[in-house]
Amino acid sequence: MMLALELYRSLPRYVASKVVTKRLSGVSAGALTPLRLVNKDEPRVPRVPGWARVRPRLSGICGSDLGALYGGTSRYFSALVSMPFVPGHEVVGDLVDDCGDLPAGTRVVIDPVLTCAARGVESCESCAAGRTNRCDRVTVGHVSPGLQTGYCADTGGGWGGQLVAHSSQLHPVPDTLDDRQAVLVEPLACAVHTALRAQVPEGASVLVVGSGAVGLLTTLALRQLTPAGSLTVVAKHPAQRELARRFGASDVLAPSDVIGGVRRTTRAMRLDPEHDSPYLLGGVDITVDAAGSAHSLATALRTVRAGGKVVLSAMPPAGTDLSPVWFRELEVVGTYASAREEQLDGTTRSAFDIAMELAGSAPLTGLVGDAYPLHRWREALDHASSAGRLGTVKVAFDLRSKS
Amino acid sequence: MLEVDERTPPLVVHEGDSFRLEEFPLGTRVVYSPEMTPGIPDVEGAIRDALLKPVDDDPLPSQLFPGMRLTIAFDDISLPLPQMRAPDIRQRVLEQVLEMAAAAGVDDVELISANALHRRLTEAELKHIVGERVFRSFFRDGKLYNFDAEDKENVKHLGQTEKGEDVEISKRAAESDLLVYVNVNIVPMDGGHKSVAIGLASYNSLRHHHNSHTMVHSRSFMDKDHSAMHSSAWRMGRLVGEHVKVFQIETTLNSHSFPKPYDFLNRREWEWSIRDQGKVLAARRGLAVAPPAMRRKIFQGVRAPYALTGINAGAVEPVHDRTLDRVFRQQATEVDGQSDVLVLGVPFICPYNVNSVMNPILAACMGLGYMFNSYRGKPLVRKDGAVLLYHPVPYEFNQLHHPSYVDFFEEVLAESTDPATIEAKYEEQYATDPWYIHLYRTSHAYHGVHPFYMWYWIAHALDHVGEVVWIGGDRRAVRRMGHRSASTLPDALEMVSDTVGSSPSITYMHHPPMTMADVR
Ligand SMILES: [Zn+2]
Ligand SMILES: [Zn+2]
């Protein structure tokens, strides 16, 4: 038996109930969270080669987790998960079994995407091409539906004492990275993927909307891996502003001053429509929505120049006004998770390898704040929900801690 | 001047769209404007006299001939404050000039509001200044218009002064056979060569004197002989004079700023009758319950019953000397020495928020630009002393009139409040921003560079005083400007006691109307 947090209600039912929770305060909504701390059986290793048990050390709380818990997630995803599941896909842990060429005891991080390889089915077109994050088979095969570890009823997740993972998901962690750096490798791999997917031309101006973990790590990746020129970050809190600069932002704007600030630097024209937020004619070459709120996405769509690119790096909100996409002929680019084969400087590497390297050199110390034991989950989620205000970038569970 | 003693009643202190009655510490010196000068009874006659018997110049009719190009420029809505009850003095002067032009068979006439980088006036505002008849005859044909400093086709570079300053003014004005300028003088800063050389100039020309260095070296703006800005304008004005004949008409008004029911504000508190005291109470009660928008409307709606005290026409410099004489006769008050603390009540209006909100930068400009600089000799407050200003300093901007002010406040002041630093880093960017230029040219927005000028305006005060405290000011807005805020006068005095001691000498300058302090 193991201790784990379990999302127990069916997602469709939950999505229906979110209408109710939305009207309640944060605290009472938290009480309605369909999450519970349980003692349950460890997940079973599928009786096929390549699977092994992993004991998590640290497991991060991702914005998409909060979305699922607090009801920000679209119904679209209800067909991509199986209930009940143990959340947690930002995991650093120890291998319990030998797995492929990795001996038991190896410290690993997990690429959470449950691809054709993990599911034991013939590779789909995307997987065959190394674009594993675009896998078409995430609902079939040896394990229950689940786009990722952390959304699948069979594999367990990082918010439990043990999970199972496939060798295709495992990446050994070098000794030079401590656990708190390593737990950031998964979100950093996503940021690497975003930066490369944005295909930033030499000297292009980029605006990153949001400076939570996604925004900050994306900023880091854009600065390190692309020839972006001006890199402006929208940051609300003082600690975020400082980090954004540390991670390579050339400019930081307060949310209240984004339209104004982008307008000034790009010398754009500003329009103020009736009963709607202002927007620009002109603007930056590329915007990245790294917050996934209705407001952040609207900002990204309204500050990009005609013919520019809008990159969705956070899970987008439902129901967005796409008028700017049409009128400004925008390119909208989604970036989900990370790929096994990324193109960087003419070579092909996995986003995790690139992220592992970045994590070794980037100023990541201090980003993972307090790590909570599982039984203090309400506190942890509360902290994660207001992390920016509290000066924290990433809140994590410490699976080895009892208090 | 009055010294506060036990029998002194509470004194009126303006604070934006309201005023309060304040009990000042015993011994506070109160500087009042001199008694209201009586007006000229026969205004039309005085105007005619000035045009027919100009100073150092030929009578206006003899300078008018058929086939000539005549351009008439006039001061914009930034003067006088509050706006003048109809008919505006400019209307009365314009009508006579136009009558003389018509009699001489002149038919190529254009009228230009000399708004430099100020916002364009609306049709209604133009109409209020020039009057119904002139408006109707000229506006529809495009012969009455706002100056457009960004219309590159229609500004003309006339050369450089001996100090290398570019002189670039309205092409129409520069290429006229005669340029008549109709001025209203409410403060000694205005008029003279400032009228044409600044009122009709482009940014390219203005940047030579509207900069932090010149402004910190202008002591004061109200004393043209000690103002670096004026020296520059005078050099430019003389160069303009080499290209176009200027016929300057300057008018002065008395200090009758408030009509009924606010006419008690024109009188000194101890002269208030029982009736006046009743009006004070009623006004205070009314303002206290009125929502801010209504308070603003009440004050912006004030039309002052000013009377004309003098009119001079002819050659720019001798005309201006006579104007200044009269302005100082109305406004100058002798003050014996400086004090540790200067108290100012910032009223609801300044030259740049007519029919609009007085945003924090404009409140600072009014208090630390205009009112602080209302001196000749030396400032009313000693070096490193304290200035206490009454104003709510609302964190509020009018997007229509002041779009670049919002950005200036959010972006520039957030980074630095030092005039020289922000000038070097941001002025050019704001001055050439296509969006601000577009709004200046086609909407009713101040030019992008205007907030910089307002900030440079206060550079001399910031350089001179040690402490600036706003009584009743919005803390966030005040902090952004690098100042402090207090809720009451005793609190403010407590806050500055480290600088000026616990029993400082205090001077309260009673505004409005404008007063010029001759500090001995
Ligand atoms: Zn995630
Ligand atoms: Zn696949």
Side-chain angles (χ1 to χ4, degrees):
Chain A
M1 296 290 273
M2 67 165 190
L3 203 60
L5 287 166
E6 185 181 74
L7 194 77
Y8 60 90
R9 216 181 284 171
S10 79
L11 199 58
R13 230 181 93 199
Y14 178 62
V15 167
S17 76
K18 90 184 176 192
V19 180
V20 180
T21 54
K22 248 189 188 164
R23 302 208 181 128
L24 300 172
S25 71
V27 176
S28 14
L32 290 180
T33 301
L35 195 70
R36 61 186 170 202
L37 185 62
V38 293
N39 250 310
K40 62 185 283 182
D41 291 331
E42 283 97 358
R44 271 200 312 231
V45 182
R47 259 190 282 273
V48 285
W51 284 87
R53 292 172 294 170
V54 175
R55 222 170 251 142
R57 294 177 173 212
L58 290 178
S59 188
I61 300 172
C62 173
S64 60
D65 296 328
L66 296 175
L69 291 171
Y70 294 123
T73 308
S74 161
R75 280 164 193 271
Y76 179 92
F77 296 100
S78 59
L80 294 167
V81 302
S82 47
M83 293 276 180
F85 64 78
V86 179
H89 56 273
E90 301 175 356
V91 185
V92 53
D94 299 302
L95 264 181
V96 178
D97 313 304
D98 293 338
C99 185
D101 51 356
L102 300 176
T106 308
R107 197 163 55 121
V108 292
V109 290
I110 292 174
D111 177 350
V113 183
L114 292 164
T115 60
C116 290
R119 294 180 172 278
V121 296
E122 197 185 327
S123 279
C124 67
E125 214 175 299
S126 298
C127 283
R131 292 190 283 269
T132 43
N133 56 330
R134 298 188 192 173
C135 179
D136 289 332
R137 309 267 190 266
V138 293
T139 57
V140 297
H142 295 308
V143 288
S144 326
L147 64 172
Q148 292 191 353
T149 301
Y151 297 97
C152 171
D154 289 349
T155 59
W159 300 3
Q162 191 164 297
L163 58 86
V164 294
H166 185 259
S167 62
S168 62
Q169 298 182 279
L170 301 177
H171 297 269
V173 182
D175 291 340
T176 47
L177 294 186
D178 65 24
D179 289 345
R180 279 168 197 252
Q181 288 167 305
V183 76
L184 291 170
V185 168
E186 191 277 339
L188 192 51
C190 298
V192 165
H193 177 67
T194 299
L196 298 177
R197 188 94 175 98
Q199 302 201 327
V200 182
E202 183 78 39
S205 54
V206 183
L207 175 76
V208 177
V209 188
S211 39
V214 176
L216 290 171
L217 296 177
T218 302
T219 302
L220 175 75
L222 281 164
R223 185 49 90 209
Q224 297 286 329
L225 307 177
T226 75
S230 75
L231 181 48
T232 307
V233 176
V234 181
K236 199 190 272 176
H237 307 289
Q240 294 175 331
R241 303 172 74 88
E242 200 201 304
L243 283 168
R245 287 194 193 280
R246 202 208 286 178
F247 283 0
S250 45
D251 220 342
V252 182
L253 294 172
S256 61
D257 193 32
V258 184
I259 293 279
V262 173
R263 195 207 63 71
R264 286 190 299 270
T265 47
T266 60
R267 310 200 127 208
M269 298 282 158
R270 170 188 164 131
L271 296 186
D272 287 85
E274 283 171 40
H275 309 298
D276 197 2
S277 348
Y279 60 89
L280 302 180
L281 299 183
V284 293
D285 300 316
I286 299 173
T287 59
V288 181
D289 174 17
S293 71
H295 189 75
S296 64
L297 181 52
T299 303
L301 289 169
R302 285 159 184 252
T303 48
V304 69
R305 65 164 169 80
K309 195 183 293 176
V310 178
V311 181
L312 308 180
S313 117
M315 194 187 286
T320 301
D321 181 0
L322 293 179
S323 306
V325 177
W326 176 77
F327 174 59
R328 301 273 82 198
E329 296 205 319
L330 303 182
E331 231 179 291
V332 178
V333 172
T335 73
Y336 165 68
S338 69
R340 163 59 45 116
E341 293 180 20
E342 304 274 2
Q343 307 301 320
L344 176 62
D345 301 331
T347 60
T348 302
R349 301 167 66 194
S350 92
F352 266 78
D353 287 347
I354 303 168
M356 205 79 81
E357 214 170 273
L358 266 185
S361 61
L364 297 181
T365 36
L367 254 55
V368 178
D370 294 327
Y372 292 83
L374 281 183
H375 67 86
R376 287 171 63 196
W377 63 276
R378 284 176 196 278
E379 233 177 299
L381 293 178
D382 197 44
H383 188 171
S385 306
S386 44
R389 187 166 53 76
L390 300 171
T392 313
V393 176
K394 179 59 73 182
V395 179
F397 287 111
D398 184 341
L399 283 303
R400 293 166 308 178
S401 163
K402 300 288 171 233
S403 60
Chain B
M1 205 160 83
L2 161 93
E3 199 168 298
V4 172
D5 62 23
E6 291 84 355
R7 290 160 308 156
T8 308
L11 305 177
V12 166
V13 182
H14 285 264
E15 45 179 2
D17 299 328
S18 188
F19 63 88
R20 70 170 84 180
L21 295 171
E22 185 71 279
E23 307 249 12
F24 283 92
L26 296 181
T28 299
R29 303 186 310 175
V30 186
V31 179
Y32 281 97
S33 167
E35 289 293 326
M36 199 186 293
T37 313
I40 295 172
D42 180 12
V43 174
E44 299 302 326
I47 296 171
R48 196 175 321 112
D49 264 12
L51 300 180
L52 296 178
K53 287 175 257 165
V55 189
D56 291 355
D57 204 348
D58 299 325
L60 181 62
S62 70
Q63 301 191 42
L64 304 169
F65 53 90
M68 79 181 295
R69 276 173 163 235
L70 172 64
T71 300
I72 308 171
F74 54 90
D75 280 337
D76 75 357
I77 198 168
S78 58
L79 289 162
L81 304 176
Q83 292 181 72
M84 191 171 183
R85 173 190 290 174
D88 190 280
I89 186 63
R90 283 161 289 201
Q91 170 188 341
R92 302 173 82 162
V93 175
L94 285 169
E95 284 176 349
Q96 291 208 29
V97 171
L98 288 167
E99 271 168 37
M100 290 177 185
V106 180
D107 46 29
D108 184 0
V109 183
E110 293 189 11
L111 291 95
I112 311 177
S113 158
N115 38 255
L117 304 183
H118 297 174
R119 68 174 174 88
R120 294 164 68 242
L121 311 190
T122 63
E123 289 185 26
E125 290 166 342
L126 278 173
K127 200 185 289 176
H128 180 77
I129 289 177
V130 305
E132 181 77 34
R133 269 191 297 163
V134 175
F135 183 84
R136 238 192 278 173
S137 318
F138 292 88
F139 185 78
R140 292 287 161 231
D141 301 339
K143 302 290 183 193
L144 163 65
Y145 52 88
N146 291 287
F147 172 60
D148 181 353
E150 289 290 345
D151 182 359
K152 305 284 189 237
E153 305 273 289
N154 287 307
V155 295
K156 188 172 182 185
H157 193 264
L158 300 180
Q160 289 191 330
T161 66
E162 66 268 26
K163 299 248 166 149
E165 298 143 318
D166 296 280
V167 179
E168 194 171 81
I169 65 163
S170 152
K171 189 173 178 182
R172 163 74 197 194
E175 292 179 349
S176 289
D177 296 300
L178 184 66
L179 172 59
V180 174
Y181 195 98
V182 182
N183 145 288
V184 186
N185 248 88
I186 202 86
V187 286
M189 183 184 78
D190 296 319
H193 284 303
K194 191 172 172 289
S195 297
V196 170
I198 291 184
L200 294 176
S202 69
Y203 171 65
N204 186 28
S205 209
L206 291 166
R207 69 195 164 95
H208 293 291
H209 41 71
H210 279 58
N211 57 58
S212 61
H213 179 83
T214 309
M215 294 213 175
V216 94
H217 289 93
S218 293
R219 307 192 165 162
S220 78
F221 293 107
M222 303 302 174
D223 185 353
K224 82 170 167 62
D225 300 327
H226 294 95
S227 160
M229 181 184 78
H230 281 84
S231 312
S232 177
W234 253 243
R235 285 190 294 274
M236 293 181 168
R238 286 172 185 153
L239 193 142
V240 169
E242 292 168 19
H243 290 80
V244 58
K245 172 82 176 49
V246 179
F247 187 83
Q248 181 88 358
I249 305 169
E250 300 198 352
T251 62
T252 52
L253 304 176
N254 71 359
S255 54
H256 202 177
S257 319
F258 291 98
K260 284 175 183 166
Y262 297 98
D263 51 352
F264 59 86
L265 291 171
N266 295 316
R267 280 189 286 282
R268 299 168 183 202
E269 292 83 352
W270 64 87
E271 294 166 350
W272 283 349
S273 63
I274 300 289
R275 231 180 109 87
D276 285 334
Q277 290 176 23
K279 283 192 210 167
V280 173
L281 287 176
R284 298 240 325 132
R285 201 173 304 135
L287 290 170
V289 299
M294 189 186 290
R295 282 209 296 268
R296 187 170 303 143
K297 225 172 138 192
I298 292 170
F299 276 98
Q300 292 288 351
V302 167
R303 293 287 175 271
Y306 303 114
L308 182 74
T309 59
I311 173 164
N312 289 286
V316 179
E317 295 183 25
V319 161
H320 190 56
D321 287 342
R322 288 167 192 229
T323 303
L324 287 184
D325 268 355
R326 212 173 288 275
V327 170
F328 281 114
R329 221 177 300 156
Q330 171 65 85
Q331 298 185 356
T333 298
E334 283 199 16
V335 178
D336 198 16
Q338 298 175 305
S339 55
D340 300 316
V341 175
L342 172 63
V343 180
L344 300 167
V346 180
F348 61 98
I349 202 170
C350 85
Y352 317 107
N353 76 309
V354 177
N355 300 327
S356 170
V357 188
M358 192 185 245
N359 64 50
I361 296 161
L362 293 179
C365 169
M366 187 59 187
L368 300 169
Y370 277 87
M371 296 162 87
F372 173 88
N373 278 290
S374 297
Y375 70 85
R376 281 190 297 188
K378 45 193 178 182
L380 276 159
V381 59
R382 69 165 167 83
K383 176 83 179 136
D384 299 324
V387 178
L388 312 183
L389 305 121
Y390 287 80
H391 195 273
V393 200
Y395 202 115
E396 194 184 353
F397 294 84
N398 181 304
Q399 278 284 2
L400 176 67
H401 292 169
H402 304 119
S404 71
Y405 278 70
V406 192
D407 290 349
F408 178 88
F409 205 67
E410 291 292 336
E411 177 185 50
V412 180
L413 288 188
E415 185 164 319
S416 171
T417 55
D418 174 53
T421 307
I422 65 183
E423 176 177 15
K425 182 154 182 208
Y426 291 105
E427 182 187 305
E428 166 95 22
Q429 182 200 336
Y430 275 66
T432 58
D433 187 298
W435 174 235
Y436 301 142
I437 290 175
H438 168 77
L439 294 176
Y440 160 80
R441 298 193 62 187
T442 63
S443 176
H444 297 283
Y446 280 83
H447 194 275
V449 80
H450 205 259
F452 289 78
Y453 291 171
M454 295 301 96
W455 201 251
Y456 304 158
W457 240 116
I458 71 173
H460 166 39
L462 295 184
D463 184 55
H464 180 81
V465 305
E467 296 268 8
V468 177
V469 179
W470 293 85
I471 298 170
D474 178 282
R475 276 167 203 283
R476 217 159 52 94
V478 166
R479 202 181 316 123
R480 174 58 56 85
M481 298 194 287
H483 307 157
R484 296 199 284 167
S485 51
S487 28
T488 64
L489 178 60
D491 286 357
L493 288 170
E494 173 68 36
M495 284 166 70
V496 300
S497 61
D498 286 347
T499 313
V500 297
S502 53
S503 51
S505 56
I506 304 172
T507 298
Y508 167 46
M509 207 181 189
H510 205 292
H511 280 107
M514 282 308 271
T515 305
M516 290 298 137
D518 279 322
V519 183
R520 307 280 166 214

